[in-house]
């Protein structure tokens, strides 16, 4: 019943109705996404505790925590290049199983350098599973089901931001830092078990690349629509990382001065995004990709001035708007890449994800320096600049 590939076939791409069992498959797809990337942002909820533990600056700890995006960028490119030759099920299983190793080792990382290296290793495993799952969905879902499948996967990503942060804050508050990482290693292994029982053994799609992977990647970069989408992905995670990494330090300092458990509860701000992201596919179908992304970026932009207010209610409202806007834009941009790339879609998706995760790493470095040197308002201004650049790039997303 829960086998993702059982009711749908590659040959069914032209059918005019949704495949049976869509709701159940969407649930499994969302859970797979959740267990794949739950480690990525959950650690942000305990940034103040990690900063004290290692005795470093917020910018240094923020960079170390988000170093996983460097590993994710590399893995996205590698998996994209070799995607036609990788068995989806085996690759996802192996990635999630290996992910548990650096996750558990983080519990005893002796210094910031080792912590950073382990986060990079986590990123390599997470992105491999993430990219292979996206490739699997693109190959196995019918045209009518594809939008819902990708929306479900991005929604699972959103849910991991909420639930992962809540779990992390609660465990650290009650049991300490080490147990936090042991728990997340167990969640990684749970993801591997889920994939084992829900994804059938299948051969990778036949390679349809008369040119080399490098030539295919260059061809994608020469496509102005894809080039703009890659840039939008970069800007989206740049803005998201900048907001939800450094706002933690604002929340624990006066005048807000939240405790660790209160800081975890703050991340219920992602709850609206879990609902709204599911609507991204319908919005694109009705309005088009460009208006959808513009609207999403505008919503995120409206949240920025609220986050500079001295009152918790306004800051939380701003965080809700930024979360809703950036996740909605991400879902629309991810779907657009699959449509705009007429061939070698695995490489196109890998390139998009590499740009997306590079945006997170660069955002951490640039906005962290702004935060340390000039304060929160300068950091928010940098986020606003990234959103504005993404809106300009969206001009190239012609139908």
């Amino acid at each position: 019943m829960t086998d993702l590939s059982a009711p749908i076939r590659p040959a069914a791409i032209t059918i005019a109705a949704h495949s049976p069992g869509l709701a159940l498959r969407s649930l499994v797809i969302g859970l797979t996404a959740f267990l794949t990337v739950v480690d990525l942002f959950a650690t942000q909820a305990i940034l103040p505790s990690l900063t004290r533990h290692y005795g470093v600056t917020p910018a240094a700890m923020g960079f170390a925590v988000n170093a996983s995006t460097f590993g994710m960028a590399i893995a996205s490119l590698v998996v994209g290049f070799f995607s036609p030759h990788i068995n989806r099920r085996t690759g996802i299983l192996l990635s999630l199983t290996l992910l548990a190793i650096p996750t558990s080792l983080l519990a005893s990382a002796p210094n910031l350098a080792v912590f950073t290296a382990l986060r990079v290793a986590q990123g390599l495993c997470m992105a491999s599973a993430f990219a292979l799952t996206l490739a699997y969905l693109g190959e196995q879902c019918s045209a009518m089901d594809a939008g819902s499948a990708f929306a479900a996967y991005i929604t699972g990503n959103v849910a991991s931001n909420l639930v992962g942060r809540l779990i992390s804050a609660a465990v650290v508050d009650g049991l300490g830092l080490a147990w936090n990482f042991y728990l997340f290693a167990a969640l990684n292994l749970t993801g591997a078990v889920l994939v084992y029982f829900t994804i059938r053994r299948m051969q990778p799609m036949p390679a349809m690349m008369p040119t080399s992977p490098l030539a295919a990647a260059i061809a994608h970069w020469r496509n102005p629509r894809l080039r703009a989408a890659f840039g939008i992905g970069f800007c989206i995670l740049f803005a998201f990382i900048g907001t939800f990494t450094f706002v933690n330090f604002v929340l624990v300092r006066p005048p807000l001065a939240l405790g660790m458990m209160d800081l975890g509860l703050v991340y219920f701000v992602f709850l609206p995004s879990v609902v709204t992201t599911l609507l991204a596919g319908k919005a694109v179908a009705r309005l088009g990709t460009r208006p959808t992304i513009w609207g999403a970026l505008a919503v995120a932009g409206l949240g920025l001035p609220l986050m500079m207010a001295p009152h918790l209610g306004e800051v939380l409202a701003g965080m809700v708007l930024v979360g809703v806007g950036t996740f909605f834009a991400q879902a629309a941009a991810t779907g657009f890449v699959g449509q705009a790339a007429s061939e070698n879609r695995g490489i196109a998706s890998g390139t998009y994800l590499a740009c997306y995760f590079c945006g997170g790493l660069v955002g951490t470095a640039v906005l962290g320096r702004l935060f340390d040197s000039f304060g929160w308002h300068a950091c928010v201004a940098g986020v606003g600049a990234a959103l504005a650049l993404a809106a300009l790039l969206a001009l190239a997303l012609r139908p």
Side-chain angles (χ1 to χ4, degrees):
M1 286 292 291
T2 56
D3 190 303
L4 296 183
S5 60
I8 41 182
R9 301 282 185 268
I13 288 180
T14 58
I15 65 173
H18 290 295
S19 300
L22 179 62
L24 182 58
R25 280 200 315 283
S26 295
L27 175 62
V28 174
I29 289 167
L31 280 173
T32 303
F34 173 87
L35 295 168
T36 299
V37 296
V38 69
D39 302 271
L40 181 59
F41 296 118
T43 312
Q44 289 182 349
I46 57 172
L47 266 171
S49 294
L50 288 169
T51 301
R52 290 191 297 270
H53 179 75
Y54 287 104
V56 295
T57 65
M61 196 69 243
F63 184 85
V65 164
N66 293 313
S68 53
T69 57
F70 177 69
M72 297 188 86
I74 294 173
S76 297
L77 280 178
V78 172
V79 172
F81 272 43
F82 296 101
S83 177
H85 310 290
I86 300 174
N87 183 283
R88 308 296 186 235
R89 183 177 186 270
T90 302
I92 299 168
L93 273 173
L94 186 61
S95 298
L96 289 175
T97 303
L98 291 177
L99 175 58
I101 297 174
T103 303
S104 59
L105 289 176
L106 282 168
S108 55
N111 53 53
L112 195 63
V114 174
F115 185 98
T116 303
L118 290 172
R119 286 293 285 174
V120 172
Q122 278 189 306
L124 290 169
C125 297
M126 281 188 281
S128 298
F130 192 93
L132 287 171
T133 305
L134 289 180
Y136 175 86
L137 295 176
E139 293 162 0
Q140 297 299 301
C141 288
S142 69
M144 288 297 292
D145 289 347
S148 297
F150 282 109
Y153 198 71
I154 299 300
T155 301
N157 186 351
V158 179
S160 73
N161 276 268
L162 167 59
V163 181
R165 292 170 197 259
L166 288 173
I167 293 173
S168 193
V171 172
V172 169
D173 190 48
L175 300 174
L177 284 170
W179 279 103
N180 169 74
F181 296 112
Y182 293 140
L183 175 61
F184 279 94
L187 290 177
N188 301 150
L189 293 175
T190 302
V193 172
L194 178 66
V195 169
Y196 180 84
F197 285 107
T198 58
I199 293 184
R200 276 186 179 174
R201 297 181 184 275
M202 55 174 289
Q203 295 300 315
M205 295 294 285
M208 299 292 292
M209 289 198 302
T211 56
S212 69
L214 180 59
I218 292 173
H220 288 323
W221 276 104
R222 288 175 175 169
N223 183 329
R225 299 167 73 214
L226 283 174
R227 191 165 60 240
F230 298 156
I232 290 170
F234 180 97
C235 292
I236 288 173
L237 197 59
F238 183 106
F240 181 88
I241 286 282
T243 300
F244 291 101
T245 295
F246 299 106
V247 73
N248 292 285
F249 298 102
V250 175
L251 292 170
V252 298
R253 294 173 180 174
L256 302 178
L258 299 183
M260 181 54 62
M261 196 58 230
D262 292 331
L263 184 61
L265 294 174
V266 157
Y267 287 99
F268 273 107
V269 296
F270 288 119
L271 193 57
S273 299
V274 176
V275 178
T276 57
T277 304
L278 285 170
L279 305 176
K282 293 181 179 179
V284 170
R286 175 169 294 187
L287 303 174
T289 300
R290 186 165 53 179
T292 298
I293 290 179
W294 276 339
L297 294 173
V299 169
L302 290 174
L304 299 184
L306 293 174
M307 290 195 303
M308 295 187 288
H311 305 293
L312 181 61
E314 293 171 275
V315 175
L316 295 181
M319 293 171 70
V320 168
L321 292 175
V322 173
V324 167
T326 52
F327 277 119
F328 209 90
Q330 181 200 1
T334 302
F336 177 83
V337 170
Q339 297 171 359
S342 57
E343 55 185 15
N344 301 320
R345 290 180 177 175
I347 293 177
S349 295
T351 304
Y352 171 81
L353 289 174
C355 292
Y356 176 75
F357 293 124
C358 277
L361 186 66
V362 175
T364 301
V366 172
L367 298 176
R369 181 56 62 92
L370 286 176
F371 183 82
D372 275 356
S373 301
F374 304 105
W376 175 234
H377 286 204
C379 183
V380 172
V383 171
L387 295 176
L389 179 56
L392 286 174
L393 290 170
L395 288 168
L397 303 185
R398 298 183 304 275

